[in-house]
Amino acid sequence: MQRRTERSEQRVEQRTEQRTEQRTEQRAEQRPQDQPGATTPTVNRRTLLKAAGAGAAGVALAGAAGARPTRARQGGTTIRWWDYYNEGANNTAMQAQLQRYMDSHPGIVVERTTIPFADLKQKLLQGATAGELPDVAVIDNPDHQAFAALGVLEDLTERVTSWGQAASYFEGPWNSTTFEGKNYGIPDNSNCLVLWINTAIAGAAEVVPPTNWDELRAAAKALTAGDQYGLAVSGVKSEEGTFQWLPFLWETGADIPTIDSEGGRAALQLWVDLVAERSMSQGILGWTQQDVLTQFQNGKAAMMLNGPWQIPVLKQDSPDLQWQVTTIPVQAQGASILGGENYSIVAGGPNVDAAWELLTWTQQPENLKQYLSEAGKLPSRQDLAEDPYWTGDPVLRVFVEQLKVARPRAYGPSYPEISNAIQEAIQAAVSGQADVASALARAQATITPLLPSS
Amino acid sequence: MARSLTQTGTGPLVRPSRGIGLGRLRGLGGYLYVIPALAYIALTMLYPVYENLRMSVHDVNVRTFLAGDWPFVGLDNYRTLVDDPVFRKALSVSLIFTGGSLLVQFTLGFALALFFVRPFPGNGLLRALLLLAWMLPTVVSGSLFRWSLDGDYGIVNAGLEAVGLLDSGRFWLIDPDTALLGTIIANIWVGIPFNMVLLLAGLQNIPATLYEAASVDGANAWQRFRSLTLPLMRPVALSVLLLGLIYTFKVFDLIYVMTGGGPVDATSVLPIYTYQLSFEFFRFGQGAAAATLLLIGLVGFAIAYLWLSRREEIA
C-alpha cells in the first residue's frame, strides 16, 4: 500500500537483470567447448571477442550471484516465492533473509520473483487459473481476505494452532490474516500512519505538536502562509485516499459499517474544513502519499500524514530537513491504520510443509529482528516491539506506540469496492460536489450490502 | 480482384463432378497457406472474445472465480449494467470524451496538415518535433498534463494568472466541472500529430495539377479548398476519423495516470469502469459484460468504417 509508480519503474531493472543472468549462464557453459579455438596461437579478432565476452560473463555472474539466490541446486526442495519488494532496503533485506535461510538449510532453494505492486493481484489471479502459482506469496494486508475468499490460499489453522505463537502478535495485523475464523497467513511487517512535523517551520511559528483535532486545526492554520500549507494528506482516488482518511473515522468511534453517522460526518467535515480554511490544498485529492512526501520535503507542507517507509527516503534525500513524528491527534479515541504485508502459502502446492517451515523460521525473534531492522520495517509481534531497537529510537518509538491502536481493513472480500465508495465520498465532499451528509449517505447505501453478513 | 486471380489460376481444373482431383488439391493448397494466420487469429483474438462472452453470461465473482462452476445467469450481468447509473454515467463520459477529443484534434490536425503541405524552411524539423507528442509514452504525457494542470504549481494557472484571466488557483483535475475537460485537452494534444500525419499524406496525394487548373479557371483559395481539397480528402478524412474514434473510445492509460477516473467518477470512461469492475472489485462477470458492450460498440464503428470506405471506393 505504498508507492506504486516507483515500483513499476523497478520492474524493468529487475527483468533485465534476470535476462542478463540467463544469458551469462549459457555463455559460461559454452566456454569449455570454445577452448580448442582459444589454444590456437594466433589471436584473431574472433578469439579476442570471445575472451572479452567470457570476461564480461564472469563479471556479470559474480554480480548476479551476490544479487539473487535463484540458482537451483540439484536434489533439494525448491520453494517458489513471490513478493513485490523490488526496491531499496525492502528488496535487499528480503534477499538477505532468504539467503540466510538457504545457507542454514542446505537442500532448500528459495526461488524468489519480484513482481510490481500493481501487477501482483492480477498475476496471482492469472496464476490461479493457469495452475502456475508460487508456494509463498507476500500480499498487501487489505487484500488478504479477498484472496482467502478466492480459495487461492492454504488454510493454516491447524498448523497455527500447533505452532502456538498467535498470541504474540498485535491484534490488528493478526486479524488481517484471518478470514471467517480461519488462518490464512502470518503477518510479515506492519506499518501505520503518524503525523510528521517540520520542526524548523513549527519552531519558528511556535507551534507545538497537536494532540487533538482542535489543536490540529489550529496548528494547521498557524502553519499556513503564502504557498506553504499547514497540512498535507493524500485524498487521491485509490486505496491510498481511504488509507489516509480511515484513522480519522475510527478516532470518532465510528466505523465503516456506521460511516453515515455523527462520527463519520465529523471525520469528513474535518478534511472539508481544513481545505476550506486553506490549511490544506485542494490538490490533496490528486496527491498520492508520495506526492504528500514531496510537499513536505520542499517545505510546501509543514505537517503531513505518512508512514514509516518514508523514513529512509527522508534521511537520504533530505538530510537537512528537520522533522519529528507524533501520534495522530485524537478525537474520542486514538487510532491509526494498519498497513503492511502478510505471508501466505498457496493452496494445494507440493511444498506446503517446507513453505510453512520457512515462514516460521522467519518469525523466530532473532531472525525477524535482523530482517525488520535491515528493511526499516516495524514488527507485528508484541514481544519484538518491546525490543530496545524500536523503543530506544525517538522516531521508531512513536510508530510502535501508534501501531498499538492501528486497525486493519478487514471488511470481507468486497473491501476494494467499499474502499471505492469511501474514496468517492471523500472526493465529492472535499471538491464541494456534495455536502458531507449526502456524500456519506450515498457511501453508506453502497457499503451496507457489501459488508460480510456475519 | 483477388477473386478473379484465383479463378483464372485454378478455374479450368475445378469441376465438382470430378471429385478430389489435382485442381481441388491445388485449391486446398491455397487454404493451407491461410491456416497459420487463421490459427493465430483464432488463438489470440477469437478465443479471448469467446471466453469473455462466456464469462459475461455467468456469475463470476470472487467466490466462484476459481471454483469454475460458474452459475449461468443469462443476460443478468448486462441488465445490471444497463440499470446501473454508474455505467450510464461512464458511457456518457466516454461519449463526451471521444466526441470532444475527435472534433478538436481532427480540426487542428487538418489545419496543421494544410500548413505543412507547403514547403518552407524548417518544415521537416517542425513536423518531427510535433510528432514527439505522439511518440511519448502515455504515462509521460499523462504526468506532464497532471502537473501542468495542478492548482498549486501548474504552468497553466501561472500562464492564465500572468495574463489576468484567472485570479486564484484553479484545480483543473480536482474540480468535477473541469476534470473531464483537462483529460480531453491532454488527449487532444496526444492525438493531433496522428491526425496531422495521416491527413498530410492524403493532401500530398492530391495532384498539384488540379490546383493549377483551378487557378487558371480563376478559383480563389477558399474555392480551391471547398471544391477540390475537401471532396478529395473525404476518404482519408473518414479513415482518420474512424481510426481516431476507435482509438479514443478505448483510451485508458492517459486518464488512469491523470485522475484515476476521479474526482468521484467525473472522468471514469467505460474502459476505466470496466477495469475497476474486473480487477478492483473482482466482479468478473459484470466486467466481462461491460467489455463485451465496449467491444460491440467498437465493432459497430469498424463495420461502419468498412461500409463507408467500400461505398467510397465504388463511388
Side-chain angles (χ1 to χ4, degrees):
Chain A
M1 161 74 268
Q2 300 146 20
R3 294 141 290 170
R4 294 173 189 212
T5 37
E6 280 187 19
R7 290 201 162 120
S8 39
E9 279 162 24
Q10 278 288 333
R11 161 203 211 173
V12 183
E13 253 177 61
Q14 291 271 349
R15 290 250 167 101
T16 29
E17 200 180 308
Q18 280 168 343
R19 220 174 291 140
T20 7
E21 194 187 341
Q22 277 172 1
R23 221 184 302 132
T24 46
E25 269 178 325
Q26 281 167 1
R27 272 205 214 137
E29 278 161 23
Q30 279 166 6
R31 238 183 314 171
Q33 292 162 1
D34 293 343
Q35 284 305 325
T39 51
T40 42
T42 45
V43 180
N44 56 25
R45 240 181 72 196
R46 186 172 292 177
T47 44
L48 242 175
L49 280 174
K50 259 183 200 161
V59 171
L61 257 180
R68 44 185 50 239
T70 49
R71 203 138 306 126
R73 289 172 220 168
Q74 278 182 343
T77 310
T78 302
I79 299 174
R80 297 199 307 146
W81 175 289
W82 285 5
D83 64 53
Y84 55 79
Y85 300 143
N86 38 16
E87 61 178 22
N90 252 345
N91 182 20
T92 47
M94 177 56 82
Q95 197 72 29
Q97 163 173 263
L98 296 180
Q99 189 61 57
R100 282 195 294 275
Y101 186 74
M102 286 191 282
D103 291 345
S104 56
H105 294 75
I108 296 219
V109 175
V110 185
E111 203 179 281
R112 175 176 177 230
T113 309
T114 56
I115 289 164
F117 174 76
D119 291 355
L120 184 73
K121 267 196 221 182
Q122 228 166 309
K123 276 263 186 222
L124 280 171
L125 287 173
Q126 283 167 358
T129 45
E132 284 172 3
L133 283 173
D135 297 300
V136 177
V138 181
I139 305 180
D140 196 14
N141 66 25
D143 293 335
H144 205 109
Q145 293 194 324
F147 279 112
L150 267 168
V152 180
L153 308 182
E154 178 85 14
D155 178 0
L156 301 172
T157 316
E158 276 174 35
R159 288 187 164 85
V160 165
T161 314
S162 56
W163 183 47
Q165 296 194 22
S168 311
Y169 290 79
F170 287 123
E171 205 183 315
W174 186 260
N175 285 348
S176 74
T177 65
T178 63
F179 177 62
E180 291 181 344
K182 289 180 180 151
N183 292 104
Y184 289 94
I186 302 177
D188 162 25
N189 72 94
S190 294
N191 62 58
C192 60
L193 293 176
V194 297
L195 186 70
W196 302 57
I197 301 169
N198 182 322
T199 42
I201 298 177
E206 293 180 359
V207 169
V208 293
T211 57
N212 58 42
W213 285 14
D214 288 337
E215 289 179 24
L216 175 68
R217 270 175 75 169
K221 198 161 196 177
L223 294 173
T224 301
D227 65 348
Q228 165 201 312
Y229 289 101
L231 177 64
V233 300
S234 162
V236 71
K237 197 180 177 226
S238 78
E239 181 57 27
E240 292 186 61
T242 317
F243 186 72
Q244 292 241 327
W245 182 72
L246 283 180
F248 296 96
L249 175 72
W250 289 327
E251 284 193 333
T252 65
D255 197 357
I256 288 179
T258 56
I259 195 167
D260 185 21
S261 61
E262 203 181 317
R265 286 189 287 273
L268 192 48
Q269 193 66 48
L270 177 72
W271 278 29
V272 172
D273 288 345
L274 283 166
V275 170
E277 288 161 10
R278 302 208 171 267
S279 303
M280 281 201 309
S281 166
Q282 211 185 350
I284 60 153
L285 294 187
W287 291 348
T288 62
Q289 299 183 96
Q290 198 58 31
D291 296 330
V292 168
L293 178 79
T294 311
Q295 304 290 323
F296 188 75
Q297 278 178 306
N298 295 321
K300 301 286 183 190
M303 299 185 286
M304 70 165 176
L305 210 57
N306 231 319
W309 59 89
Q310 308 292 23
I311 299 173
V313 185
L314 269 185
K315 280 187 175 157
Q316 199 183 335
D317 297 351
S318 313
D320 299 329
L321 200 74
Q322 296 167 32
W323 51 272
Q324 67 171 101
V325 291
T326 180
T327 48
I328 301 176
V330 301
Q331 178 76 339
Q333 63 193 55
S336 184
I337 188 148
L338 177 81
E341 285 80 17
N342 294 334
Y343 292 127
S344 68
I345 297 178
V346 172
N351 297 321
V352 174
D353 289 321
W356 173 251
E357 213 178 300
L358 164 58
L359 291 191
T360 49
W361 178 87
T362 66
Q363 298 304 302
Q364 289 169 17
E366 66 278 11
N367 297 335
L368 192 57
K369 183 184 169 186
Q370 185 175 2
Y371 160 70
L372 290 174
S373 57
E374 281 175 13
K377 290 174 174 171
L378 306 176
S380 309
R381 281 179 79 111
Q382 240 148 347
D383 45 2
L384 212 56
E386 285 151 18
D387 189 281
Y389 177 83
W390 282 279
T391 52
D393 183 291
V395 173
L396 294 177
R397 193 173 56 207
V398 174
F399 278 101
V400 172
E401 188 62 29
Q402 184 83 76
L403 201 58
K404 290 177 184 160
V405 290
R407 295 164 64 163
R409 290 152 284 171
Y411 297 95
S414 296
Y415 174 72
E417 219 168 330
I418 294 172
S419 169
N420 188 64
I422 297 173
Q423 294 154 29
E424 296 201 342
I426 297 171
Q427 297 222 319
V430 174
S431 70
Q433 202 185 15
D435 57 87
V436 166
S438 58
L440 287 177
R442 200 177 149 203
Q444 183 80 67
T446 312
I447 290 170
T448 307
L450 295 170
L451 291 164
S453 45
S454 57
Chain B
M1 187 63 179
R3 191 184 299 157
S4 68
L5 261 184
T6 23
Q7 271 174 353
T8 42
T10 58
L13 289 167
V14 176
R15 295 268 187 286
S17 55
R18 281 175 66 170
I20 300 175
L22 190 60
R24 161 86 41 113
L25 275 179
R26 253 187 222 157
L28 284 177
Y31 288 109
L32 217 63
Y33 290 108
V34 186
I35 286 176
L38 273 183
Y40 175 78
I41 289 174
L43 212 70
T44 60
M45 293 169 71
L46 295 181
Y47 177 68
V49 169
Y50 161 75
E51 268 297 309
N52 190 68
L53 277 173
R54 193 166 77 91
M55 215 181 237
S56 75
V57 292
H58 289 87
D59 181 19
V60 191
N61 59 39
V62 79
R63 283 174 192 278
T64 55
F65 180 67
L66 279 189
D69 53 341
W70 306 336
F72 179 78
V73 292
L75 293 177
D76 275 5
N77 285 331
Y78 293 91
R79 242 172 259 135
T80 318
L81 275 184
V82 175
D83 289 339
D84 184 359
V86 183
F87 174 78
R88 277 182 282 179
K89 173 85 192 283
L91 184 64
S92 70
V93 169
S94 264
L95 290 176
I96 297 171
F97 179 80
T98 309
S101 299
L102 270 191
L103 193 74
V104 181
Q105 71 192 21
F106 180 80
T107 314
L108 292 182
F110 206 155
L112 280 172
L114 286 170
F115 176 68
F116 280 111
V117 77
R118 300 156 155 267
F120 61 86
N123 182 315
L125 181 73
L126 271 179
R127 235 165 43 190
L129 284 177
L130 266 175
L131 265 182
L132 215 61
W134 178 252
M135 293 187 298
L136 277 182
T138 331
V139 179
V140 174
S141 23
S143 307
L144 188 78
F145 273 90
R146 199 185 134 209
W147 286 108
S148 298
L149 294 168
D150 184 77
D152 286 318
Y153 320 106
I155 191 167
V156 171
N157 277 358
L160 289 177
E161 276 165 36
V163 297
L165 280 172
L166 200 75
D167 41 357
S168 70
R170 185 171 190 96
F171 291 85
W172 297 93
L173 296 176
I174 302 296
D175 188 332
D177 298 329
T178 53
L180 185 56
L181 181 69
T183 54
I184 291 177
I185 289 173
N187 191 53
I188 288 171
W189 185 78
V190 172
I192 283 177
F194 170 76
N195 283 265
M196 183 200 77
V197 167
L198 291 186
L199 291 170
L200 184 61
L203 285 176
Q204 283 165 340
N205 268 338
I206 302 177
T209 48
L210 288 179
Y211 288 103
E212 282 162 21
S215 299
V216 171
D217 289 342
N220 62 25
W222 170 247
Q223 285 169 323
R224 287 200 299 272
F225 177 72
R226 272 284 327 259
S227 316
L228 272 180
T229 313
L230 274 190
L232 287 170
M233 282 295 283
R234 247 180 71 111
V236 179
L238 209 66
S239 310
V240 173
L241 274 176
L242 272 152
L243 286 177
L245 183 73
I246 292 169
Y247 175 79
T248 314
F249 205 68
K250 60 188 178 75
V251 165
F252 169 81
D253 37 7
L254 187 77
I255 298 181
Y256 196 73
V257 169
M258 287 180 71
T259 64
V264 195
D265 52 5
T267 55
S268 177
V269 289
L270 270 188
I272 295 249
Y273 177 66
T274 309
Y275 172 84
Q276 259 195 329
L277 278 180
S278 292
F279 296 112
E280 283 181 22
F281 302 164
F282 299 130
R283 295 194 174 193
F284 302 102
Q286 282 176 28
T292 307
L293 293 179
L294 196 67
L295 183 73
I296 290 174
L298 290 174
V299 168
F301 293 142
I303 289 174
Y305 167 65
L306 289 175
W307 182 73
L308 280 172
S309 59
R310 180 161 294 180
R311 220 181 52 162
E312 269 323 305
E313 264 169 39
I314 294 164

